[in-house]
Amino acid sequence: MSLTQFIRKVFVPRQKELERHYTEGELLQREVLKKLVKRAADTEYGRNHTFSTIKGYDNFAHNVPVNTYEELKADIDRMRHGERDILWPGKVKWYAKSSGTTNDKSKFIPVSEEGLQNIHYQGGTDCVALYLRNYEKSRLFDGRALILGGSHSPNYNIHNSLVGDLSAILIENINPLANLVRVPKKQTALLSDFEVKRDRIAHETLTKNVTNLSGVPSWMLSVLSRVMELSGKEHLEEVWPNIEVFFHGGVAFTPYRKQYEQLITKPDMRYMETYNASEGFFGLQDDPADKSMLLMLDYDVFYEFIPMDEFGTDNPTVVPLWGVETGRNYAMLISTSCGLWRYVIGDTVKFTSVNPYKFVITGRTKHFINAFGEELIVDNAEKGLAYACQQTGAQVLEYTAAPVFMDAKGKCRHQWLIEFSNEPDDLNLFSQLFDKKLQELNSDYEAKRYKDITLQHLEIVVARHDLFNDWLKMKGKLGGQHKVPRLSNSRDIIDQLLKMNER
């Protein structure tokens, strides 16, 4: 009996529990809300919002305001300085460092012990449980897992309190038994210099029997490229013959799929999407034939949603999970055992099913272009680029876009800065196909593009090799979970990149 055959028995009870997600979604969420409110009733936040009187969802929505990071920042900073029982019971020692807000370079998301176990690690466990359920012949545990992580550093001067990438927090606290089936070694995984880390990971894993990968597609691709350089091989399965799955998340996989398929040519290679963030672990691709993900409903996360056509208005509609509709774009709110209450996470999702609750990530509440009423979202961009690549044989590695605002004649356009791993033979054709597909996908964009009256044909600027990595390195964000914003109403980021592209 292989090790995987033995270990898979451990996951059978959880696989049975997960079946409730397909029939009892509302009940699971009501149970989570009751648990969270009861647990936090004696915290400062719980007392201020009379958690002890909350009997159900309606009370909760009435008593607790919708929050962004700015509303919770002062409380989180007190927690970081060692104060107890503020947003969650006890002292929270870990803080996941995430990309910043308008006012701050970084956000510091609390990660309580309960959140670590009941959200983040539970997500990782369920990822394996669902994968093993779908693939009976898997040999996942007969080799090693290559897991990419970030780094961490001390939190102020508080003893045993640290801040860092969520992945570093997970690796730092992982069950020691897990280290028997993962690479690289812990000291390497937590290095802060990504270029040094990349090289060491490649050297440490080159001769190991790696069966699975976990990480952000862009950074994993960089590591695998170094592995190929060292090995001198053409395809990854020549280095790791038993490689079988890549558990990926953090950024959309579409721009990278073609490159992975060229790097790993074995026909039975699998890709499983996960939705994990600094704030929590939210979704898993439970069906290999369906790109949408199952919303995980029995973790310490209670979900609410704001229709995007109301987001940013004075009194937007907020609905619990059982109030969502398929095909509608929503901003997601979460309440968790890390002390985030009705927190606007910044991601947008669209449900493809409500029985069970399955969804796709469509973008970010702030990462869109709506300078001229076109409401272009990341989901439109990903699908448009995928179509243009499919038609021309091009491959997109990284991109960002922003508006070019109206000139004296009232003309404006979108400017796309794209780094290709394989440039199209005819950039003009690529541009035309891309623009046409965006019009098909987005009626508002199509209306603004009508006869070039307002919005002109999009402009594509080809980025030099490694431009985006150089920009991230300059910002001190190379590696980990950092990424360049795809779409923005502001030209701040694209102008910085364009200036670097001239060198």
Side-chain angles (χ1 to χ4, degrees):
M1 179 182 289
S2 74
L3 184 59
T4 304
Q5 288 175 304
F6 176 77
I7 293 178
R8 72 162 56 243
K9 296 177 181 178
V10 176
F11 292 90
V12 172
R14 180 56 183 167
Q15 289 169 341
K16 292 180 178 178
E17 287 178 359
L18 285 169
E19 292 176 5
R20 294 186 67 194
H21 281 68
Y22 299 92
T23 57
E24 302 177 36
E26 179 178 341
L27 178 59
L28 287 174
Q29 276 289 276
R30 289 188 184 276
E31 289 173 352
V32 168
L33 178 61
K34 183 178 179 180
K35 173 187 174 183
L36 293 175
V37 168
K38 182 179 180 181
R39 182 77 176 90
D42 288 331
T43 62
E44 182 178 301
Y45 195 87
R47 291 192 297 272
N48 289 342
H49 296 89
T50 58
F51 278 17
S52 61
T53 68
I54 292 176
K55 303 301 181 184
Y57 173 69
D58 290 341
N59 289 150
F60 177 72
H62 180 266
N63 287 15
V64 183
V66 171
N67 291 300
T68 63
Y69 185 77
E70 283 75 12
E71 277 84 43
L72 298 179
K73 178 187 174 186
D75 285 337
I76 291 173
D77 202 52
R78 290 169 60 200
M79 294 165 66
R80 288 185 63 203
H81 279 88
E83 291 192 46
R84 305 172 61 91
D85 305 322
I86 306 299
L87 294 172
W88 190 251
K91 183 184 291 188
V92 177
K93 298 189 300 181
W94 290 92
Y95 296 86
K97 190 175 180 181
S98 182
S99 55
T101 66
T102 303
N103 301 318
D104 295 283
K105 183 178 179 180
S106 299
K107 294 183 291 188
F108 298 91
I109 306 300
V111 182
S112 68
E113 181 63 31
E114 284 153 293
L116 196 65
Q117 300 298 330
N118 301 338
I119 302 175
H120 295 291
Y121 284 145
Q122 189 61 60
T125 298
D126 287 350
C127 183
V128 175
L130 289 171
Y131 179 77
L132 293 177
R133 184 198 69 179
N134 290 332
Y135 299 103
E136 293 184 1
K137 295 182 179 180
S138 169
R139 302 293 293 269
L140 193 73
F141 290 103
D142 291 6
R144 302 292 188 92
L146 170 51
I147 302 175
L148 290 191
S151 61
H152 57 60
S153 57
N155 170 48
Y156 293 131
N157 60 349
I158 308 301
H159 180 62
N160 285 336
S161 183
L162 298 174
V163 300
D165 294 323
L166 173 70
S167 54
I169 294 173
L170 298 179
I171 290 172
E172 184 67 49
N173 290 279
I174 200 168
N175 187 316
L177 291 175
N179 289 319
L180 299 176
V181 294
R182 60 166 293 276
V183 287
K185 59 187 179 183
K186 187 174 177 180
Q187 298 94 313
T188 300
L190 296 177
L191 285 171
S192 58
D193 188 320
F194 180 73
E195 292 173 301
V196 173
K197 180 192 301 193
R198 171 181 180 263
D199 190 63
R200 290 192 186 177
I201 290 175
H203 278 94
E204 287 181 26
T205 60
L206 197 59
T207 58
K208 298 293 192 294
N209 177 26
V210 175
T211 61
N212 60 102
L213 312 170
S214 295
V216 178
S218 53
W219 302 124
M220 182 63 75
L221 192 61
S222 179
V223 170
L224 298 183
S225 296
R226 182 59 181 148
V227 170
M228 300 311 293
E229 288 172 6
L230 291 176
S231 69
K233 304 295 185 182
E234 186 176 356
H235 299 117
L236 193 65
E237 63 266 31
E238 297 176 74
V239 182
W240 301 323
N242 299 312
I243 188 79
E244 62 174 84
V245 61
F246 178 22
F247 302 109
H248 60 85
V251 298
F253 190 56
T254 303
Y256 304 97
R257 179 175 290 276
K258 192 73 174 177
Q259 293 167 80
Y260 275 93
E261 289 174 348
Q262 291 176 345
L263 179 64
I264 310 169
T265 59
K266 59 188 303 187
D268 57 349
M269 180 64 186
R270 300 148 190 157
Y271 300 91
M272 181 174 176
E273 186 167 7
T274 67
Y275 179 16
N276 53 328
S278 299
E279 296 86 353
F281 201 122
F282 309 122
L284 286 166
Q285 186 180 359
D286 67 322
D287 180 356
D290 184 359
K291 291 183 179 179
S292 60
M293 287 181 279
L294 182 70
L295 193 66
M296 308 314 293
L297 304 177
D298 63 350
Y299 299 178
D300 283 357
V301 183
F302 180 76
Y303 301 96
E304 295 174 272
F305 302 89
I306 299 176
M308 273 307 289
D309 54 7
E310 298 184 38
F311 188 81
T313 61
D314 290 338
N315 292 296
T317 302
V318 183
V319 297
L321 181 65
W322 51 93
V324 301
E325 303 170 11
T326 57
R328 196 169 186 185
N329 211 27
Y330 291 99
M332 192 164 81
L333 280 63
I334 57 171
S335 297
T336 78
S337 59
C338 292
L340 301 177
W341 298 105
R342 306 195 80 195
Y343 179 81
V344 181
I345 188 173
D347 290 336
T348 61
V349 300
K350 184 181 293 184
F351 284 88
T352 60
S353 165
V354 294
N355 189 25
Y357 289 97
K358 298 187 71 171
F359 68 98
V360 293
I361 302 170
T362 55
R364 298 279 295 170
T365 56
K366 293 182 179 179
H367 294 180
F368 60 90
I369 302 178
N370 192 31
F372 318 110
E374 66 275 43
E375 297 187 17
L376 193 75
I377 62 175
V378 173
D379 187 56
N380 301 151
E382 300 286 355
K383 290 177 178 176
L385 286 169
Y387 173 77
C389 286
Q390 182 184 33
Q391 296 298 310
T392 63
Q395 293 177 22
V396 171
L397 187 62
E398 296 286 355
Y399 71 90
T400 192
V404 176
F405 294 99
M406 291 184 181
D407 59 21
K409 297 181 180 180
K411 304 297 184 182
C412 54
R413 66 186 184 278
H414 289 177
Q415 187 177 49
W416 296 77
L417 181 60
I418 302 177
E419 181 179 343
F420 293 96
S421 55
N422 185 29
E423 277 192 48
D425 292 332
D426 187 339
L427 187 62
N428 186 53
L429 174 62
F430 182 93
S431 172
Q432 291 175 1
L433 291 167
F434 183 28
D435 186 77
K436 181 180 177 182
K437 192 64 176 179
L438 290 179
Q439 293 185 54
E440 292 177 10
L441 293 166
N442 185 316
S443 59
D444 290 316
Y445 181 81
E446 181 183 36
K448 300 301 180 293
R449 285 282 296 113
Y450 181 69
K451 293 186 176 181
D452 292 351
I453 294 173
T454 303
L455 194 62
Q456 309 299 293
H457 194 284
L458 61 83
E459 173 194 2
I460 294 179
V461 178
V462 177
R464 63 169 173 78
H465 178 64
D466 270 346
L467 173 66
F468 289 86
N469 279 352
D470 289 346
W471 184 83
L472 287 168
K473 186 177 181 180
M474 180 184 74
K475 298 289 183 180
K477 294 183 176 182
L478 188 64
Q481 295 173 300
H482 302 296
K483 43 195 177 282
V484 177
R486 298 303 200 190
L487 306 178
S488 176
N489 267 338
S490 165
R491 289 195 56 83
D492 292 348
I493 292 171
I494 200 169
D495 282 342
Q496 292 175 25
L497 285 159
L498 287 168
K499 188 172 183 180
M500 293 177 66
N501 202 42
E502 296 172 355
R503 298 173 188 172

